[in-house]
Amino acid sequence: MSIRMGNSCVNCDNLMGDDTCKVHAVKVSTSYTCDSFEMKAALKDDPNCVSCARYEGPSCSNPQNAAPGMLCSQ
């Protein structure tokens, strides 16, 4: 058995607004996976310290100033 979390219908471009797969024409849920999966192209729309992998970690370039809502170029 293979585990494919990235292939969840939630991340698929074929998922329509009413939770129907436009390829297979069936109702799906977050636990479905599929070989016809196409990843949604999405940009993170909230880039700030809280969404950064370095936040409150040893590789943070400004640990004394890092705070929710703050933007950083590092």
Side-chain angles (χ1 to χ4, degrees), residues 22-62:
K22 66 182 172 187
V23 172
H24 299 101
V26 296
K27 265 306 203 201
V28 295
S29 73
T30 58
S31 60
Y32 283 59
T33 60
C34 174
D35 291 329
S36 300
F37 175 82
E38 291 190 32
M39 181 70 89
K40 287 181 185 176
L43 297 173
K44 290 186 177 184
D45 61 351
D46 187 22
N48 71 75
C49 287
V50 176
S51 61
C52 180
R54 297 177 182 158
Y55 182 54
E56 295 184 338
S59 61
C60 178
S61 59
N62 281 306

PDB file of all heavy atoms in Angstrom, residues 22-62:
ATOM      1  N   LYS A  22     -14.037  16.354 -11.665  1.00  0.00           N
ATOM      2  CA  LYS A  22     -14.467  16.589 -13.041  1.00  0.00           C
ATOM      3  C   LYS A  22     -13.919  15.549 -14.018  1.00  0.00           C
ATOM      4  O   LYS A  22     -14.394  15.459 -15.134  1.00  0.00           O
ATOM      5  CB  LYS A  22     -14.126  17.999 -13.491  1.00  0.00           C
ATOM      6  CG  LYS A  22     -12.675  18.338 -13.620  1.00  0.00           C
ATOM      7  CD  LYS A  22     -12.523  19.796 -14.031  1.00  0.00           C
ATOM      8  CE  LYS A  22     -11.070  20.231 -13.995  1.00  0.00           C
ATOM      9  NZ  LYS A  22     -10.934  21.666 -14.225  1.00  0.00           N
ATOM     10  N   VAL A  23     -12.970  14.714 -13.586  1.00  0.00           N
ATOM     11  CA  VAL A  23     -12.467  13.631 -14.432  1.00  0.00           C
ATOM     12  C   VAL A  23     -13.348  12.391 -14.309  1.00  0.00           C
ATOM     13  O   VAL A  23     -13.737  11.784 -15.293  1.00  0.00           O
ATOM     14  CB  VAL A  23     -11.007  13.272 -14.074  1.00  0.00           C
ATOM     15  CG1 VAL A  23     -10.544  12.027 -14.798  1.00  0.00           C
ATOM     16  CG2 VAL A  23     -10.092  14.443 -14.384  1.00  0.00           C
ATOM     17  N   HIS A  24     -13.689  12.032 -13.058  1.00  0.00           N
ATOM     18  CA  HIS A  24     -14.437  10.795 -12.808  1.00  0.00           C
ATOM     19  C   HIS A  24     -15.927  11.020 -12.565  1.00  0.00           C
ATOM     20  O   HIS A  24     -16.685  10.058 -12.464  1.00  0.00           O
ATOM     21  CB  HIS A  24     -13.822  10.057 -11.611  1.00  0.00           C
ATOM     22  CG  HIS A  24     -12.406   9.681 -11.843  1.00  0.00           C
ATOM     23  ND1 HIS A  24     -11.350  10.407 -11.313  1.00  0.00           N
ATOM     24  CD2 HIS A  24     -11.847   8.682 -12.571  1.00  0.00           C
ATOM     25  CE1 HIS A  24     -10.221   9.855 -11.702  1.00  0.00           C
ATOM     26  NE2 HIS A  24     -10.481   8.820 -12.462  1.00  0.00           N
ATOM     27  N   ALA A  25     -16.338  12.281 -12.435  1.00  0.00           N
ATOM     28  CA  ALA A  25     -17.748  12.637 -12.220  1.00  0.00           C
ATOM     29  C   ALA A  25     -18.354  11.941 -11.003  1.00  0.00           C
ATOM     30  O   ALA A  25     -19.467  11.414 -11.065  1.00  0.00           O
ATOM     31  CB  ALA A  25     -18.569  12.352 -13.477  1.00  0.00           C
ATOM     32  N   VAL A  26     -17.614  11.937  -9.897  1.00  0.00           N
ATOM     33  CA  VAL A  26     -18.116  11.376  -8.639  1.00  0.00           C
ATOM     34  C   VAL A  26     -17.848  12.351  -7.505  1.00  0.00           C
ATOM     35  O   VAL A  26     -16.922  13.162  -7.573  1.00  0.00           O
ATOM     36  CB  VAL A  26     -17.468  10.007  -8.299  1.00  0.00           C
ATOM     37  CG1 VAL A  26     -17.839   8.967  -9.322  1.00  0.00           C
ATOM     38  CG2 VAL A  26     -15.977  10.127  -8.156  1.00  0.00           C
ATOM     39  N   LYS A  27     -18.653  12.280  -6.454  1.00  0.00           N
ATOM     40  CA  LYS A  27     -18.426  13.058  -5.240  1.00  0.00           C
ATOM     41  C   LYS A  27     -17.204  12.487  -4.536  1.00  0.00           C
ATOM     42  O   LYS A  27     -17.067  11.268  -4.422  1.00  0.00           O
ATOM     43  CB  LYS A  27     -19.591  12.914  -4.293  1.00  0.00           C
ATOM     44  CG  LYS A  27     -20.700  13.911  -4.261  1.00  0.00           C
ATOM     45  CD  LYS A  27     -20.332  15.314  -4.083  1.00  0.00           C
ATOM     46  CE  LYS A  27     -21.553  16.040  -3.521  1.00  0.00           C
ATOM     47  NZ  LYS A  27     -21.487  17.433  -3.747  1.00  0.00           N
ATOM     48  N   VAL A  28     -16.309  13.343  -4.065  1.00  0.00           N
ATOM     49  CA  VAL A  28     -15.098  12.892  -3.380  1.00  0.00           C
ATOM     50  C   VAL A  28     -14.967  13.596  -2.035  1.00  0.00           C
ATOM     51  O   VAL A  28     -15.694  14.545  -1.746  1.00  0.00           O
ATOM     52  CB  VAL A  28     -13.842  13.164  -4.239  1.00  0.00           C
ATOM     53  CG1 VAL A  28     -13.877  12.326  -5.503  1.00  0.00           C
ATOM     54  CG2 VAL A  28     -13.710  14.626  -4.574  1.00  0.00           C
ATOM     55  N   SER A  29     -14.028  13.117  -1.237  1.00  0.00           N
ATOM     56  CA  SER A  29     -13.746  13.744   0.056  1.00  0.00           C
ATOM     57  C   SER A  29     -12.241  13.916   0.191  1.00  0.00           C
ATOM     58  O   SER A  29     -11.474  13.527  -0.689  1.00  0.00           O
ATOM     59  CB  SER A  29     -14.288  12.892   1.206  1.00  0.00           C
ATOM     60  OG  SER A  29     -13.498  11.738   1.372  1.00  0.00           O
ATOM     61  N   THR A  30     -11.813  14.456   1.315  1.00  0.00           N
ATOM     62  CA  THR A  30     -10.390  14.718   1.543  1.00  0.00           C
ATOM     63  C   THR A  30      -9.560  13.445   1.623  1.00  0.00           C
ATOM     64  O   THR A  30      -8.349  13.495   1.455  1.00  0.00           O
ATOM     65  CB  THR A  30     -10.185  15.518   2.840  1.00  0.00           C
ATOM     66  OG1 THR A  30     -10.746  14.785   3.922  1.00  0.00           O
ATOM     67  CG2 THR A  30     -10.825  16.877   2.746  1.00  0.00           C
ATOM     68  N   SER A  31     -10.172  12.301   1.857  1.00  0.00           N
ATOM     69  CA  SER A  31      -9.418  11.057   1.998  1.00  0.00           C
ATOM     70  C   SER A  31      -9.214  10.319   0.673  1.00  0.00           C
ATOM     71  O   SER A  31      -8.518   9.319   0.630  1.00  0.00           O
ATOM     72  CB  SER A  31     -10.107  10.129   3.002  1.00  0.00           C
ATOM     73  OG  SER A  31     -11.403   9.818   2.551  1.00  0.00           O
ATOM     74  N   TYR A  32      -9.791  10.799  -0.401  1.00  0.00           N
ATOM     75  CA  TYR A  32      -9.624  10.145  -1.693  1.00  0.00           C
ATOM     76  C   TYR A  32      -8.258  10.465  -2.296  1.00  0.00           C
ATOM     77  O   TYR A  32      -7.742  11.554  -2.134  1.00  0.00           O
ATOM     78  CB  TYR A  32     -10.691  10.626  -2.680  1.00  0.00           C
ATOM     79  CG  TYR A  32     -12.059  10.032  -2.481  1.00  0.00           C
ATOM     80  CD1 TYR A  32     -12.744  10.185  -1.284  1.00  0.00           C
ATOM     81  CD2 TYR A  32     -12.684   9.344  -3.504  1.00  0.00           C
ATOM     82  CE1 TYR A  32     -14.003   9.665  -1.115  1.00  0.00           C
ATOM     83  CE2 TYR A  32     -13.951   8.822  -3.336  1.00  0.00           C
ATOM     84  CZ  TYR A  32     -14.609   8.971  -2.134  1.00  0.00           C
ATOM     85  OH  TYR A  32     -15.861   8.468  -1.957  1.00  0.00           O
ATOM     86  N   THR A  33      -7.691   9.489  -3.016  1.00  0.00           N
ATOM     87  CA  THR A  33      -6.481   9.709  -3.804  1.00  0.00           C
ATOM     88  C   THR A  33      -6.730   9.136  -5.198  1.00  0.00           C
ATOM     89  O   THR A  33      -7.651   8.354  -5.399  1.00  0.00           O
ATOM     90  CB  THR A  33      -5.239   9.024  -3.195  1.00  0.00           C
ATOM     91  OG1 THR A  33      -5.483   7.632  -3.129  1.00  0.00           O
ATOM     92  CG2 THR A  33      -4.914   9.571  -1.821  1.00  0.00           C
ATOM     93  N   CYS A  34      -5.889   9.531  -6.167  1.00  0.00           N
ATOM     94  CA  CYS A  34      -6.187   9.169  -7.542  1.00  0.00           C
ATOM     95  C   CYS A  34      -4.937   9.210  -8.404  1.00  0.00           C
ATOM     96  O   CYS A  34      -4.052  10.037  -8.191  1.00  0.00           O
ATOM     97  CB  CYS A  34      -7.218  10.172  -8.052  1.00  0.00           C
ATOM     98  SG  CYS A  34      -7.617  10.034  -9.774  1.00  0.00           S
ATOM     99  N   ASP A  35      -4.870   8.351  -9.414  1.00  0.00           N
ATOM    100  CA  ASP A  35      -3.742   8.364 -10.343  1.00  0.00           C
ATOM    101  C   ASP A  35      -3.912   9.429 -11.421  1.00  0.00           C
ATOM    102  O   ASP A  35      -2.969   9.717 -12.152  1.00  0.00           O
ATOM    103  CB  ASP A  35      -3.557   6.985 -10.980  1.00  0.00           C
ATOM    104  CG  ASP A  35      -3.071   5.965  -9.963  1.00  0.00           C
ATOM    105  OD1 ASP A  35      -2.349   6.356  -9.026  1.00  0.00           O
ATOM    106  OD2 ASP A  35      -3.414   4.780 -10.100  1.00  0.00           O
ATOM    107  N   SER A  36      -5.091  10.025 -11.541  1.00  0.00           N
ATOM    108  CA  SER A  36      -5.322  11.109 -12.497  1.00  0.00           C
ATOM    109  C   SER A  36      -5.116  12.468 -11.832  1.00  0.00           C
ATOM    110  O   SER A  36      -5.559  13.488 -12.332  1.00  0.00           O
ATOM    111  CB  SER A  36      -6.746  11.029 -13.043  1.00  0.00           C
ATOM    112  OG  SER A  36      -6.960   9.815 -13.693  1.00  0.00           O
ATOM    113  N   PHE A  37      -4.439  12.466 -10.705  1.00  0.00           N
ATOM    114  CA  PHE A  37      -4.211  13.657  -9.898  1.00  0.00           C
ATOM    115  C   PHE A  37      -3.386  14.698 -10.638  1.00  0.00           C
ATOM    116  O   PHE A  37      -2.388  14.390 -11.274  1.00  0.00           O
ATOM    117  CB  PHE A  37      -3.477  13.235  -8.613  1.00  0.00           C
ATOM    118  CG  PHE A  37      -3.062  14.362  -7.733  1.00  0.00           C
ATOM    119  CD1 PHE A  37      -3.958  14.942  -6.867  1.00  0.00           C
ATOM    120  CD2 PHE A  37      -1.771  14.852  -7.778  1.00  0.00           C
ATOM    121  CE1 PHE A  37      -3.575  15.981  -6.047  1.00  0.00           C
ATOM    122  CE2 PHE A  37      -1.377  15.887  -6.963  1.00  0.00           C
ATOM    123  CZ  PHE A  37      -2.286  16.451  -6.102  1.00  0.00           C
ATOM    124  N   GLU A  38      -3.826  15.966 -10.559  1.00  0.00           N
ATOM    125  CA  GLU A  38      -3.062  17.099 -11.080  1.00  0.00           C
ATOM    126  C   GLU A  38      -3.021  18.164 -10.002  1.00  0.00           C
ATOM    127  O   GLU A  38      -4.051  18.714  -9.633  1.00  0.00           O
ATOM    128  CB  GLU A  38      -3.710  17.648 -12.352  1.00  0.00           C
ATOM    129  CG  GLU A  38      -3.586  16.689 -13.519  1.00  0.00           C
ATOM    130  CD  GLU A  38      -3.997  17.314 -14.829  1.00  0.00           C
ATOM    131  OE1 GLU A  38      -3.799  18.532 -14.983  1.00  0.00           O
ATOM    132  OE2 GLU A  38      -4.503  16.578 -15.675  1.00  0.00           O
ATOM    133  N   MET A  39      -1.815  18.428  -9.475  1.00  0.00           N
ATOM    134  CA  MET A  39      -1.643  19.370  -8.373  1.00  0.00           C
ATOM    135  C   MET A  39      -2.114  20.767  -8.738  1.00  0.00           C
ATOM    136  O   MET A  39      -1.804  21.262  -9.813  1.00  0.00           O
ATOM    137  CB  MET A  39      -0.169  19.420  -7.948  1.00  0.00           C
ATOM    138  CG  MET A  39       0.125  20.361  -6.797  1.00  0.00           C
ATOM    139  SD  MET A  39      -0.526  19.814  -5.223  1.00  0.00           S
ATOM    140  CE  MET A  39       0.829  18.841  -4.627  1.00  0.00           C
ATOM    141  N   LYS A  40      -2.874  21.381  -7.836  1.00  0.00           N
ATOM    142  CA  LYS A  40      -3.294  22.766  -8.025  1.00  0.00           C
ATOM    143  C   LYS A  40      -2.071  23.665  -7.958  1.00  0.00           C
ATOM    144  O   LYS A  40      -1.215  23.491  -7.098  1.00  0.00           O
ATOM    145  CB  LYS A  40      -4.247  23.205  -6.911  1.00  0.00           C
ATOM    146  CG  LYS A  40      -5.616  22.644  -6.988  1.00  0.00           C
ATOM    147  CD  LYS A  40      -6.458  23.181  -5.843  1.00  0.00           C
ATOM    148  CE  LYS A  40      -7.819  22.550  -5.814  1.00  0.00           C
ATOM    149  NZ  LYS A  40      -8.600  22.993  -4.659  1.00  0.00           N
ATOM    150  N   ALA A  41      -1.993  24.610  -8.853  1.00  0.00           N
ATOM    151  CA  ALA A  41      -0.932  25.610  -8.784  1.00  0.00           C
ATOM    152  C   ALA A  41      -1.423  26.708  -7.853  1.00  0.00           C
ATOM    153  O   ALA A  41      -2.461  27.309  -8.076  1.00  0.00           O
ATOM    154  CB  ALA A  41      -0.652  26.177 -10.160  1.00  0.00           C
ATOM    155  N   ALA A  42      -0.707  26.926  -6.763  1.00  0.00           N
ATOM    156  CA  ALA A  42      -1.144  27.926  -5.785  1.00  0.00           C
ATOM    157  C   ALA A  42       0.058  28.605  -5.159  1.00  0.00           C
ATOM    158  O   ALA A  42       1.077  27.975  -4.892  1.00  0.00           O
ATOM    159  CB  ALA A  42      -1.985  27.274  -4.697  1.00  0.00           C
ATOM    160  N   LEU A  43      -0.075  29.880  -4.936  1.00  0.00           N
ATOM    161  CA  LEU A  43       0.948  30.635  -4.232  1.00  0.00           C
ATOM    162  C   LEU A  43       0.496  30.848  -2.804  1.00  0.00           C
ATOM    163  O   LEU A  43      -0.696  30.980  -2.532  1.00  0.00           O
ATOM    164  CB  LEU A  43       1.147  32.004  -4.896  1.00  0.00           C
ATOM    165  CG  LEU A  43       1.643  31.982  -6.330  1.00  0.00           C
ATOM    166  CD1 LEU A  43       1.628  33.399  -6.888  1.00  0.00           C
ATOM    167  CD2 LEU A  43       3.049  31.413  -6.391  1.00  0.00           C
ATOM    168  N   LYS A  44       1.431  30.888  -1.893  1.00  0.00           N
ATOM    169  CA  LYS A  44       1.071  31.217  -0.515  1.00  0.00           C
ATOM    170  C   LYS A  44       0.661  32.674  -0.483  1.00  0.00           C
ATOM    171  O   LYS A  44       1.403  33.544  -0.945  1.00  0.00           O
ATOM    172  CB  LYS A  44       2.245  30.971   0.427  1.00  0.00           C
ATOM    173  CG  LYS A  44       2.562  29.522   0.619  1.00  0.00           C
ATOM    174  CD  LYS A  44       3.634  29.341   1.666  1.00  0.00           C
ATOM    175  CE  LYS A  44       3.885  27.871   1.893  1.00  0.00           C
ATOM    176  NZ  LYS A  44       4.843  27.648   2.964  1.00  0.00           N
ATOM    177  N   ASP A  45      -0.519  32.942   0.045  1.00  0.00           N
ATOM    178  CA  ASP A  45      -1.013  34.314   0.048  1.00  0.00           C
ATOM    179  C   ASP A  45      -0.823  35.024   1.376  1.00  0.00           C
ATOM    180  O   ASP A  45      -1.325  36.110   1.582  1.00  0.00           O
ATOM    181  CB  ASP A  45      -2.481  34.348  -0.368  1.00  0.00           C
ATOM    182  CG  ASP A  45      -3.373  33.557   0.570  1.00  0.00           C
ATOM    183  OD1 ASP A  45      -2.856  32.852   1.445  1.00  0.00           O
ATOM    184  OD2 ASP A  45      -4.603  33.646   0.413  1.00  0.00           O
ATOM    185  N   ASP A  46      -0.090  34.414   2.291  1.00  0.00           N
ATOM    186  CA  ASP A  46       0.136  35.035   3.587  1.00  0.00           C
ATOM    187  C   ASP A  46       1.586  34.837   4.016  1.00  0.00           C
ATOM    188  O   ASP A  46       1.866  34.144   4.984  1.00  0.00           O
ATOM    189  CB  ASP A  46      -0.820  34.444   4.621  1.00  0.00           C
ATOM    190  CG  ASP A  46      -0.749  35.168   5.953  1.00  0.00           C
ATOM    191  OD1 ASP A  46      -0.315  36.342   5.976  1.00  0.00           O
ATOM    192  OD2 ASP A  46      -1.107  34.566   6.975  1.00  0.00           O
ATOM    193  N   PRO A  47       2.539  35.438   3.272  1.00  0.00           N
ATOM    194  CA  PRO A  47       3.941  35.259   3.643  1.00  0.00           C
ATOM    195  C   PRO A  47       4.335  36.141   4.818  1.00  0.00           C
ATOM    196  O   PRO A  47       4.410  37.356   4.695  1.00  0.00           O
ATOM    197  CB  PRO A  47       4.693  35.667   2.371  1.00  0.00           C
ATOM    198  CG  PRO A  47       3.802  36.686   1.752  1.00  0.00           C
ATOM    199  CD  PRO A  47       2.394  36.270   2.089  1.00  0.00           C
ATOM    200  N   ASN A  48       4.509  35.567   5.973  1.00  0.00           N
ATOM    201  CA  ASN A  48       4.974  36.302   7.146  1.00  0.00           C
ATOM    202  C   ASN A  48       5.681  35.324   8.075  1.00  0.00           C
ATOM    203  O   ASN A  48       5.771  34.143   7.776  1.00  0.00           O
ATOM    204  CB  ASN A  48       3.820  37.053   7.821  1.00  0.00           C
ATOM    205  CG  ASN A  48       2.847  36.151   8.527  1.00  0.00           C
ATOM    206  OD1 ASN A  48       3.144  35.631   9.591  1.00  0.00           O
ATOM    207  ND2 ASN A  48       1.658  35.950   7.948  1.00  0.00           N
ATOM    208  N   CYS A  49       6.171  35.809   9.170  1.00  0.00           N
ATOM    209  CA  CYS A  49       6.962  34.970  10.076  1.00  0.00           C
ATOM    210  C   CYS A  49       6.237  33.687  10.491  1.00  0.00           C
ATOM    211  O   CYS A  49       6.861  32.633  10.563  1.00  0.00           O
ATOM    212  CB  CYS A  49       7.351  35.763  11.330  1.00  0.00           C
ATOM    213  SG  CYS A  49       8.620  37.006  11.011  1.00  0.00           S
ATOM    214  N   VAL A  50       4.965  33.767  10.751  1.00  0.00           N
ATOM    215  CA  VAL A  50       4.227  32.597  11.230  1.00  0.00           C
ATOM    216  C   VAL A  50       4.200  31.487  10.179  1.00  0.00           C
ATOM    217  O   VAL A  50       4.237  30.308  10.505  1.00  0.00           O
ATOM    218  CB  VAL A  50       2.797  32.988  11.654  1.00  0.00           C
ATOM    219  CG1 VAL A  50       1.990  31.775  12.057  1.00  0.00           C
ATOM    220  CG2 VAL A  50       2.855  33.968  12.821  1.00  0.00           C
ATOM    221  N   SER A  51       4.175  31.841   8.892  1.00  0.00           N
ATOM    222  CA  SER A  51       4.136  30.826   7.841  1.00  0.00           C
ATOM    223  C   SER A  51       5.537  30.399   7.381  1.00  0.00           C
ATOM    224  O   SER A  51       5.671  29.586   6.479  1.00  0.00           O
ATOM    225  CB  SER A  51       3.313  31.319   6.647  1.00  0.00           C
ATOM    226  OG  SER A  51       3.885  32.475   6.086  1.00  0.00           O
ATOM    227  N   CYS A  52       6.566  30.922   8.002  1.00  0.00           N
ATOM    228  CA  CYS A  52       7.946  30.606   7.626  1.00  0.00           C
ATOM    229  C   CYS A  52       8.449  29.367   8.380  1.00  0.00           C
ATOM    230  O   CYS A  52       8.225  29.227   9.583  1.00  0.00           O
ATOM    231  CB  CYS A  52       8.849  31.803   7.949  1.00  0.00           C
ATOM    232  SG  CYS A  52      10.589  31.536   7.533  1.00  0.00           S
ATOM    233  N   ALA A  53       9.153  28.495   7.658  1.00  0.00           N
ATOM    234  CA  ALA A  53       9.698  27.285   8.283  1.00  0.00           C
ATOM    235  C   ALA A  53      10.793  27.611   9.295  1.00  0.00           C
ATOM    236  O   ALA A  53      11.088  26.817  10.178  1.00  0.00           O
ATOM    237  CB  ALA A  53      10.246  26.360   7.201  1.00  0.00           C
ATOM    238  N   ARG A  54      11.395  28.791   9.191  1.00  0.00           N
ATOM    239  CA  ARG A  54      12.483  29.182  10.101  1.00  0.00           C
ATOM    240  C   ARG A  54      11.989  29.898  11.358  1.00  0.00           C
ATOM    241  O   ARG A  54      12.778  30.148  12.264  1.00  0.00           O
ATOM    242  CB  ARG A  54      13.452  30.105   9.372  1.00  0.00           C
ATOM    243  CG  ARG A  54      14.127  29.440   8.215  1.00  0.00           C
ATOM    244  CD  ARG A  54      15.009  30.417   7.509  1.00  0.00           C
ATOM    245  NE  ARG A  54      15.625  29.801   6.361  1.00  0.00           N
ATOM    246  CZ  ARG A  54      16.100  30.456   5.343  1.00  0.00           C
ATOM    247  NH1 ARG A  54      16.042  31.765   5.312  1.00  0.00           N
ATOM    248  NH2 ARG A  54      16.641  29.817   4.340  1.00  0.00           N
ATOM    249  N   TYR A  55      10.706  30.237  11.424  1.00  0.00           N
ATOM    250  CA  TYR A  55      10.164  31.005  12.547  1.00  0.00           C
ATOM    251  C   TYR A  55      10.428  30.296  13.869  1.00  0.00           C
ATOM    252  O   TYR A  55      10.147  29.116  14.022  1.00  0.00           O
ATOM    253  CB  TYR A  55       8.669  31.223  12.353  1.00  0.00           C
ATOM    254  CG  TYR A  55       7.998  32.051  13.425  1.00  0.00           C
ATOM    255  CD1 TYR A  55       8.470  33.308  13.750  1.00  0.00           C
ATOM    256  CD2 TYR A  55       6.885  31.579  14.092  1.00  0.00           C
ATOM    257  CE1 TYR A  55       7.845  34.079  14.720  1.00  0.00           C
ATOM    258  CE2 TYR A  55       6.249  32.344  15.059  1.00  0.00           C
ATOM    259  CZ  TYR A  55       6.738  33.592  15.373  1.00  0.00           C
ATOM    260  OH  TYR A  55       6.120  34.356  16.325  1.00  0.00           O
ATOM    261  N   GLU A  56      11.015  31.010  14.812  1.00  0.00           N
ATOM    262  CA  GLU A  56      11.362  30.518  16.151  1.00  0.00           C
ATOM    263  C   GLU A  56      12.326  29.338  16.103  1.00  0.00           C
ATOM    264  O   GLU A  56      12.379  28.533  17.022  1.00  0.00           O
ATOM    265  CB  GLU A  56      10.110  30.166  16.953  1.00  0.00           C
ATOM    266  CG  GLU A  56       9.246  31.379  17.261  1.00  0.00           C
ATOM    267  CD  GLU A  56       8.058  31.064  18.136  1.00  0.00           C
ATOM    268  OE1 GLU A  56       7.625  29.889  18.204  1.00  0.00           O
ATOM    269  OE2 GLU A  56       7.560  32.005  18.776  1.00  0.00           O
ATOM    270  N   GLY A  57      13.084  29.234  15.027  1.00  0.00           N
ATOM    271  CA  GLY A  57      14.068  28.160  14.894  1.00  0.00           C
ATOM    272  C   GLY A  57      15.473  28.723  14.884  1.00  0.00           C
ATOM    273  O   GLY A  57      15.679  29.941  14.808  1.00  0.00           O
ATOM    274  N   PRO A  58      16.482  27.863  14.932  1.00  0.00           N
ATOM    275  CA  PRO A  58      17.870  28.326  14.988  1.00  0.00           C
ATOM    276  C   PRO A  58      18.341  29.019  13.706  1.00  0.00           C
ATOM    277  O   PRO A  58      19.309  29.775  13.737  1.00  0.00           O
ATOM    278  CB  PRO A  58      18.665  27.044  15.239  1.00  0.00           C
ATOM    279  CG  PRO A  58      17.773  25.940  14.771  1.00  0.00           C
ATOM    280  CD  PRO A  58      16.368  26.421  14.982  1.00  0.00           C
ATOM    281  N   SER A  59      17.666  28.798  12.582  1.00  0.00           N
ATOM    282  CA  SER A  59      18.105  29.423  11.327  1.00  0.00           C
ATOM    283  C   SER A  59      17.383  30.742  11.024  1.00  0.00           C
ATOM    284  O   SER A  59      17.628  31.354   9.988  1.00  0.00           O
ATOM    285  CB  SER A  59      17.914  28.454  10.159  1.00  0.00           C
ATOM    286  OG  SER A  59      16.552  28.123  10.012  1.00  0.00           O
ATOM    287  N   CYS A  60      16.535  31.223  11.927  1.00  0.00           N
ATOM    288  CA  CYS A  60      15.854  32.505  11.747  1.00  0.00           C
ATOM    289  C   CYS A  60      16.904  33.623  11.759  1.00  0.00           C
ATOM    290  O   CYS A  60      17.745  33.683  12.643  1.00  0.00           O
ATOM    291  CB  CYS A  60      14.834  32.742  12.849  1.00  0.00           C
ATOM    292  SG  CYS A  60      13.989  34.342  12.734  1.00  0.00           S
ATOM    293  N   SER A  61      16.849  34.510  10.740  1.00  0.00           N
ATOM    294  CA  SER A  61      17.875  35.555  10.646  1.00  0.00           C
ATOM    295  C   SER A  61      17.642  36.724  11.597  1.00  0.00           C
ATOM    296  O   SER A  61      18.552  37.496  11.861  1.00  0.00           O
ATOM    297  CB  SER A  61      17.959  36.068   9.210  1.00  0.00           C
ATOM    298  OG  SER A  61      16.719  36.588   8.804  1.00  0.00           O
ATOM    299  N   ASN A  62      16.445  36.883  12.139  1.00  0.00           N
ATOM    300  CA  ASN A  62      16.137  37.969  13.087  1.00  0.00           C
ATOM    301  C   ASN A  62      15.270  37.452  14.235  1.00  0.00           C
ATOM    302  O   ASN A  62      14.128  37.872  14.401  1.00  0.00           O
ATOM    303  CB  ASN A  62      15.392  39.109  12.372  1.00  0.00           C
ATOM    304  CG  ASN A  62      16.328  39.982  11.583  1.00  0.00           C
ATOM    305  OD1 ASN A  62      17.293  40.491  12.130  1.00  0.00           O
ATOM    306  ND2 ASN A  62      16.037  40.144  10.314  1.00  0.00           N
TER     307      ASN A  62
END
